[in-house]
């Protein structure tokens, strides 16, 4: 059998120790499949003493993580530290510059510095792989880069954050409100103590920006992702959506079109959406992730699985290592970084679609007339409307409606017309309806 | 840009012309992604004159398909002729022996002759690729061979035949019986005029045998696949399954265990199954295919999409070509064919699971007592039982039941005890319940 592929591992949190456990448990099979053993030679993490439940005695311990990149006995540096900058970025730059292959689960770093690191990898003929950065154990980076490679990609839609999906599907199941379910999710380990990056949609946006770059052959443009989180979605919205035939999910959507005017433009958005009950993403519950890739010949491809967790993420990290061991060290973004298009961001106002609008209004005569007049004046046509019950104390009621298909600027216009109206007792909520 | 990858294409049916259309439509993007143009130089099919709606004037026409393999100006031979033997097999052997890469959508040939062709490819350092042979446009061969490569695979379960899935989900939707829906499927082009290979489960078994070999590192053993088709499933079974919380789907399942006795044994079965409504395969309707791969670290991965059709199948064929153009010409079965295990077939009698049993019985006293006594004597415990209504004319009634978890041999035993009983007016139907 050929020489082992020699690994240096930075970061020994749950994913890092998961990788060690996986290589231990499946080592013999992996060596057969990869054609050579995959062998960790050195590890580094902040605290040496911590009990991680794995035996580290077979590996060199390195205090200064940056030193992993300079070792002659290392072929691949695996970074599982996290953070878009700081030690992770230093290690990435140093490893690639020293012609080490580099594997990471760090979505924030890839989303923010992926172009620089991709160029560095190309210049030094090193692999730069990040399957674990998107959707945990699901091989969707490979699915898009290779499996769907024959297609012009028309759209990518994904449930990319397990915490949000757990919360939304649990709100749906139990009827409980956001805050209550968030606390449960934290207790169960499905949400961080500081859940901001997840529930505000930033984590999903990192992943979407990476997928969009590969799918559309575009430079990563994380700053152009329009992001709304799930904190404004109420139990009442989920109940009304259900009545109308939808579930609510946080979905990242990227597509690319010319908007009838020359150059293609890229639209990237992460928002809570109403998903029709017969759409593949409607059945995704709990902390699961799923990505739908629409190709002009393949049609709709669905990739689904665990979006996080030590086992699934380790599975994706080691899949990258097997690829490298087999000699697949090709271009990280499918085409050379220099050939990725710097696509301009699309104007969402041109988009044609349906929306769910929810107004919190004072319970008195004339309010519905005011809202519907604003919609008429904005050329926004109503497909269905629910005003269920009324408040016990003559206070607030909810009016929920679904629009007919129309340009998004009409929704914006209607909300402008209603701005400052004393009839609205809270800001309206607009959720797009995912195309069927 | 590098030299083009030069293709010879055998077979110009819907998939063959789909490949030509795809290469024409997406050519520029493909050349960027593959790092070189993909160029068809020669084509061959039975009838030259037929109008296929594509312009063939740019390609050399070759009357004798076998000649494609001998051309010096060809790097890859693509076989889209079909049939496990005959001209397809002759072409495959000849192309690989002449160190041409070989790409095929021919599941029957891969299932029957895959080991021979794999060895030939290895000996001649040629790629042998067949993504399009399994589940149409879904990149599940790659998903298993590469995406899930880090895992010990525990089970593969797939909806692998679009015709059967269309028929079963249409029976479910409409309440119509098998024969009626088959006719509709034929009219819509979802079923062949001679649907035997599909509805009897042979086509799904070809695909399962290929996936099992890759997933379990086993020699392909198509003959060991236990196959039942969908012709015995009635509208009444679908209705009763729905009442009990299940849908019925034709599912191919492969798993591997030691049955507590030394060497691992491979179980491969294609059968109509009761799928719990919250299982990912329960939501797969119409001619869609889906495969669930369970890995010991990844957990459950779902790959879903169009299982047939010219566009999706062409997408898979060309994905293989892009891989080859990028230099990925690695081992077809993930490990060398010589290292694939010749696994013995498992004895299904040892399997522990739940089953759905449906008896067609005479409508007279004592019948239910006879059946339940046989089940008691076979140590088979009943979880739920439905005997709905009774026939108008005092003739036949259906008794449907779901067993508690137990060894399959108990079911066999119970049926043996009831064999020849005058109470049963038709052979009983046994459908396994897919594990949740």
């Amino acid at each position: 059998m050929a020489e082992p592929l020699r690994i240096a591992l930075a970061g020994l949190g749950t994913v890092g120790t998961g990788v060690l456990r996986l290589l231990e448990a499946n080592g013999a099979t992996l060596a057969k499949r990869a054609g050579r053993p995959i062998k960790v030679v050195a590890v580094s993490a902040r605290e040496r003493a911590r009990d991680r439940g794995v035996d580290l005695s077979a590996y060199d311990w390195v205090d200064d993580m940056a030193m992993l990149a300079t070792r002659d006995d290392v072929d691949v540096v695996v970074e599982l530290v996290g953070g878009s900058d700081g030690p992770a970025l230093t290690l990435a730059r140093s490893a690639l510059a020293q012609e080490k292959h580099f594997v990471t689960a760090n979505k924030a770093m890839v989303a923010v510095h992926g172009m620089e690191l991709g160029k560095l990898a190309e210049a030094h003929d090193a692999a730069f792989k990040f399957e674990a950065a998107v959707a945990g154990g699901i091989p969707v980076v490979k699915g898009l880069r290779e499996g769907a490679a024959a297609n012009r990609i028309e759209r990518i839609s994904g449930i990319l954050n397990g915490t949000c999906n757990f919360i939304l599907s649990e709100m749906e199941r139990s009827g409980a409100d956001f805050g209550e379910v968030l606390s449960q999710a934290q207790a169960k380990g499905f949400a961080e103590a500081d859940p901001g990056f997840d529930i505000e949609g930033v984590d999903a946006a990192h992943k979407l920006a990476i997928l969009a770059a590969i799918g559309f052959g575009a430079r990563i443009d994380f700053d152009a992702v329009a992001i709304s989180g799930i904190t404004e979605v109420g139990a009442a919205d989920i109940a009304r959506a259900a009545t109308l035939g939808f579930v609510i999910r946080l979905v990242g959507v990227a597509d690319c079109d010319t908007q009838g005017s020359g150059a293609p433009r890229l639209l990237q958005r992460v928002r809570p959406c109403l998903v029709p009950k017969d759409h593949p993403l409607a059945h995704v519950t709990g902390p699961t992730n799923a990505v739908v890739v629409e190709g002009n010949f393949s049609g709709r491809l669905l990739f689904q699985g665990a979006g996080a967790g030590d086992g699934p993420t380790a599975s994706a990290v080691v899949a990258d290592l097997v690829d490298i061991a087999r000699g697949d060290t090709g271009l990280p973004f499918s085409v050379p970084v220099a050939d990725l298009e710097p696509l301009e961001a699309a104007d969402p106002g041109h988009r044609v679609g349906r929306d769910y609008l929810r107004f919190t209004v004072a319970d008195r005569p004339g309010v519905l007339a005011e809202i519907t007049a604003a919609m008429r004046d904005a050329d926004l046509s109503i497909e269905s409307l629910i005003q269920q019950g009324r408040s016990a104390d003559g206070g607030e009621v909810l009016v929920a409606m679904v629009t007919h298909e129309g340009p998004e600027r009409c929704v914006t216009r209607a909300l402008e017309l209603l701005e400052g109206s004393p009839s609205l007792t809270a800001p309206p909520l607009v959720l797009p309806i995912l195309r069927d």
Side-chain angles (χ1 to χ4, degrees), chain A:
Chain A
M1 187 162 285
E3 290 295 300
L5 184 74
R6 299 163 305 172
I7 313 296
L9 180 56
L12 290 171
T14 52
V15 178
T17 52
V19 168
L20 294 179
R21 283 191 297 108
L22 193 162
L23 291 174
E24 177 69 27
N26 296 352
T29 306
L30 285 170
K32 270 180 82 169
R33 290 187 187 147
R36 51 202 284 211
I38 296 175
K39 186 170 179 282
V40 176
V41 295
V43 298
S44 179
R46 247 162 294 176
E47 297 170 66
R48 181 163 190 175
R50 207 174 116 205
D51 179 15
R52 300 175 169 91
V54 288
D55 178 8
L56 300 177
S57 62
Y59 320 121
D60 266 8
W61 179 275
V62 176
D63 280 319
D64 179 2
M65 190 173 292
M67 290 297 107
L68 294 177
T70 62
R71 292 174 68 113
D72 288 337
D73 63 349
V74 163
D75 304 307
V76 189
V77 173
V78 176
E79 181 272 312
L80 302 170
V81 177
S84 64
D85 295 81
L89 184 61
T90 305
L91 182 64
R93 286 173 173 154
S94 158
L96 291 169
Q98 273 154 105
E99 298 178 6
K100 311 289 187 206
H101 304 301
F102 185 76
V103 171
T104 180
N106 188 332
K107 54 217 77 164
M109 183 174 73
V110 178
V112 177
H113 300 289
M115 299 292 87
E116 176 202 330
L117 298 175
K119 258 192 275 187
L120 202 57
E122 289 169 21
H124 293 87
D125 221 6
F128 168 40
K129 289 188 175 276
F130 41 81
E131 184 63 80
V134 182
I138 311 169
V140 64
V141 168
K142 182 178 282 284
L144 200 50
R145 185 183 174 281
E146 303 169 26
N151 295 272
R152 179 166 52 70
I153 301 303
E154 295 175 337
R155 194 163 40 159
I156 299 168
S157 327
I159 292 179
L160 296 167
N161 184 274
T163 302
C164 290
N165 208 63
F166 174 84
I167 292 174
L168 291 172
S169 56
E170 189 58 22
M171 285 170 74
E172 181 183 309
R173 197 194 56 77
S174 68
D177 235 318
F178 176 77
E180 193 180 323
V181 176
L182 173 60
S183 307
Q184 286 171 23
Q186 286 169 319
K188 288 189 184 177
F190 291 139
E192 307 275 343
D194 176 3
F197 252 46
D198 292 311
I199 63 175
E200 283 156 22
V202 178
D203 174 79
H206 284 142
K207 298 168 186 169
L208 183 69
I210 297 168
L211 292 179
I214 299 170
F216 300 109
R219 292 183 62 82
I220 294 183
D221 191 359
F222 169 64
D223 291 334
V225 185
I227 310 177
S228 325
I230 62 168
T231 55
E232 303 305 315
V233 177
D237 297 308
I238 290 176
R240 278 159 186 70
T243 306
L244 296 162
F246 301 94
V247 299
I248 298 182
R249 294 288 182 267
L250 184 74
V251 185
V253 178
D255 61 27
C256 183
D257 73 30
T258 57
Q259 307 196 307
S261 65
R265 286 159 184 270
L266 183 60
L267 191 66
Q268 304 177 86
R269 301 201 276 198
V270 171
R271 295 182 298 175
C273 293
L274 266 65
V275 182
K277 280 183 180 163
D278 55 359
H279 189 285
L281 294 183
H283 308 297
V284 181
T285 55
T288 303
N289 279 197
V291 179
V292 174
V293 171
E294 293 172 53
N296 67 333
F297 277 75
S298 62
R300 210 178 244 179
L301 298 173
L302 171 70
F303 301 86
Q304 184 175 318
D310 53 344
T313 310
S315 165
V317 168
V318 177
D320 281 348
L321 296 177
V322 172
D323 268 358
I324 292 170
R326 284 171 171 165
D328 169 11
T329 57
L331 299 171
F333 294 96
S334 177
V335 306
V337 169
D339 292 350
L340 293 170
E341 308 276 348
L343 293 183
E344 270 189 69
D347 171 5
H350 288 280
R351 289 304 154 123
V352 172
R354 297 193 299 155
D355 286 282
Y356 165 90
L357 280 69
R358 180 253 290 162
F359 299 95
T360 311
V361 300
D363 187 8
R364 57 178 167 68
V367 170
L368 205 53
E370 185 187 342
I371 292 175
T372 52
M375 295 185 73
R376 175 200 63 210
D377 295 345
D379 254 338
L380 190 58
S381 155
I382 300 168
E383 182 187 295
S384 47
L385 186 148
I386 304 181
Q387 182 185 343
Q388 261 168 344
R390 52 189 298 164
S391 63
D393 57 359
E396 293 179 338
V397 293
L398 294 187
V399 176
M401 57 183 79
V402 167
T403 68
H404 275 296
E405 198 162 85
E408 284 191 27
R409 60 173 173 273
C410 299
V411 175
T412 314
R413 178 81 188 119
L415 297 188
E416 281 165 5
L417 291 172
L418 288 166
E419 208 168 289
S421 159
S423 304
L424 305 192
T425 59
L429 178 73
V430 180
L431 304 178
I433 294 179
L434 204 65
R435 221 172 286 184
D436 211 351

